[in-house]
Amino acid sequence: MDRLRAFEVFATVVARGGFAKAADALNTSPANVTRYVNELEGYLGSRLLNRTSRRLSLTEAGEALYERAQTILEEVAEAEALASATTLKPRGRLRVNAPLSFGVRHLASLWPRFMALYPDVLLDIALTDRVVDMVEEGFDLGIRISRGGSPTYAARKLATSRNVLCASPDYLARQGVPETPECLANHARIAYSYTGVPEDWVLLDPQGEPVTVRIPIRLVTNNGDTARAAALAGQGIIWQPTFLIGEDLRAGRLVPVLPNHRIPDIDILAVYPSRRHVSAKVRALVDFLADAFHGTPGWEWHPGDTA
């Protein structure tokens, strides 16, 4: 048994949530995936997965192996990259998917620099706020705005962005400044639809305890800039990342609401379908972006910052 391949198959089954989806991702058959998992369980003498007709879950042994297998696969990918870096030159079409607002604001100015460094790479950039299936839609790399990493793809963290609850001074002058989370029930909410538009928002109080609040929805949109425009026009309260509203907060065009309560940060990730056999062009772009976003991002904002 090829143990490294078995680890990769097992990790892909867990990440994809099923044998058939893992087979598609690995370009093999479901029967072959099943064989690898069965052989791995037999070799280890432990059941790794609980299987039913409707769901798949990890056993205690499976959870321990999955965590370690991810680390092993990452280390192997790094070793392969080091071995091939001196012989492979980035070239060919590189399809990249990124969120619309982030792509326009923080990536557009980077692409010419990358093109100058790698003239043999043809960049193909697609901007959409919809979460795409990278394998099915043929993307080599994606930029994801995520909390808690990427369970499906290999990922490298590029930066962090704070989330801030805020509104325009004009709106707060008309509607009043909420002093407690309960006061938000009397305000208007501008909602971002790709978060699922839940009825409630969950904030963390100064002790880090979750506080659930409900705010009547005034507008729903699938684009952060549209939500920002509505908030700047005094139409309600938004919850948006500082990469979108950091300048507005520094300039005072938007002001934080309930500043003693916070929302968990989000990560900016470069994601790609597989840890193994990463192409030279993908690795070049991931390294380029990691270097470009190194340190404190220019969009970051903290209470007291002014333009």
Side-chain angles (χ1 to χ4, degrees):
M1 179 185 65
D2 182 344
R3 277 182 286 170
L4 187 60
R5 178 61 171 173
F7 285 163
E8 181 182 32
V9 170
F10 167 69
T12 305
V13 169
V14 177
R16 290 280 176 165
F19 285 70
K21 291 180 179 179
D24 288 340
L26 295 169
N27 195 28
T28 188
S29 68
N32 208 27
V33 170
T34 300
R35 179 177 64 82
Y36 268 109
V37 173
N38 287 341
E39 288 181 357
L40 184 60
E41 288 181 326
Y43 175 79
L44 297 173
S46 298
R47 177 174 289 277
L48 302 174
L49 296 165
N50 293 314
R51 311 162 173 86
T52 69
S53 59
R54 298 195 172 203
R55 66 189 298 269
L56 199 69
S57 64
L58 285 166
T59 64
E60 184 176 355
E63 288 180 1
L65 180 64
Y66 179 57
E67 182 177 348
R68 185 59 185 147
Q70 287 181 299
T71 302
I72 291 170
L73 292 170
E74 288 170 358
E75 290 173 348
V76 169
E78 288 295 325
E80 288 176 341
L82 288 172
S84 63
T86 58
T87 59
L88 294 180
K89 182 179 180 182
R91 63 175 67 248
R93 182 181 294 271
L94 180 54
R95 296 199 68 217
V96 181
N97 165 254
L100 178 59
S101 295
F102 188 85
V104 171
R105 288 168 175 266
H106 302 292
L107 295 175
S109 63
L110 298 179
W111 301 135
R113 288 168 48 191
F114 182 81
M115 293 164 66
L117 289 170
Y118 301 100
D120 293 329
V121 175
L122 191 163
L123 280 175
D124 183 348
I125 311 297
L127 301 182
T128 176
D129 289 331
R130 175 179 61 86
V131 177
V132 304
D133 185 314
M134 293 181 58
V135 174
E136 184 175 315
E137 300 186 40
F139 287 103
D140 300 295
L141 184 139
I143 304 300
R144 293 281 171 85
I145 314 297
S146 172
R147 186 182 303 148
S150 174
T152 305
Y153 305 115
R156 182 170 175 182
K157 180 178 173 180
L158 303 176
T160 299
S161 183
R162 297 182 64 201
N163 278 309
V164 180
L165 198 67
C166 59
S168 71
D170 174 65
Y171 172 84
L172 295 174
R174 293 194 329 265
Q175 301 298 126
V177 177
E179 301 293 339
T180 67
E182 292 72 23
C183 295
L184 292 173
N186 299 317
H187 286 265
R189 168 185 168 196
I190 300 166
Y192 182 62
S193 59
Y194 281 122
T195 61
V197 195
E199 291 293 328
D200 301 325
W201 273 348
V202 179
L203 311 178
L204 299 179
D205 68 15
Q207 288 73 46
E209 294 298 322
V211 178
T212 301
V213 297
R214 179 162 295 191
I215 312 176
I217 296 175
R218 182 79 174 86
L219 169 72
V220 177
T221 176
N222 67 353
N223 175 257
D225 274 305
T226 300
R228 169 182 173 267
L232 289 170
Q235 294 303 311
I237 296 174
I238 57 171
W239 162 347
Q240 286 291 326
T242 48
F243 72 72
L244 184 68
I245 59 170
E247 291 183 6
D248 298 316
L249 291 164
R250 282 192 291 272
R253 294 186 292 267
L254 293 173
V255 296
V257 172
L258 295 175
N260 290 329
H261 290 69
R262 67 179 184 87
I263 304 161
D265 296 341
I266 53 175
D267 291 333
I268 315 299
L269 304 172
V271 301
Y272 40 100
S274 174
R275 293 178 176 83
R276 299 189 69 190
H277 309 301
V278 179
S279 67
K281 61 188 177 181
V282 169
R283 185 162 297 279
L285 182 53
V286 172
D287 290 342
F288 171 81
L289 292 173
D291 182 67
F293 288 109
H294 179 70
T296 303
W299 64 66
E300 203 46 86
W301 168 89
H302 298 280
D305 288 355
T306 56

